[in-house]
Amino acid sequence: MTATLSSDVLQDDIAVAIAQVIAAANKQARELDIDVLQSLISLTQYPQNDGWVWRVNYGAKDSIGQRGGDLMIDVNPDDASIQKVLWGQ
């Protein structure tokens, strides 16, 4: 999916940071054999060491009858580096 972003969107620091975080997390998730397009994706933010970290969670879209197995990837928004990778049980 390709979209042209308007200049006001590109000037929104939070929107750009989130896009970079999601792109970095998606790359890591694909390397771990997660089907990103078939995942229910959520994003949360939490404080860490005088800054913020974004946690991207990949879960099953159809979770009925399924327990655990989510992938959680923590990403530093300053440089889009992966901080931590966690698997749910």
Side-chain angles (χ1 to χ4, degrees), residues 45-81:
Q45 184 183 40
Y46 66 90
Q48 182 183 46
N49 300 330
D50 298 326
W52 293 94
V53 172
W54 289 91
R55 176 167 287 175
V56 184
N57 188 87
Y58 299 87
K61 280 187 179 178
D62 184 16
S63 60
I64 296 174
Q66 181 176 338
R67 185 173 169 196
D70 286 11
L71 173 65
M72 293 154 279
I73 301 175
D74 291 356
V75 182
N76 180 337
D78 295 331
D79 59 5
S81 62

Side-chain angles (χ1 to χ4, degrees), residues 14-44:
I14 294 174
V16 172
I18 289 172
Q20 291 172 330
V21 164
I22 292 287
N26 284 349
K27 180 180 179 202
Q28 180 70 51
R30 286 185 183 103
E31 289 174 1
L32 296 169
D33 294 325
I34 295 296
D35 187 346
V36 174
L37 293 175
Q38 293 304 313
S39 296
L40 179 63
I41 300 172
S42 61
L43 180 70
T44 56

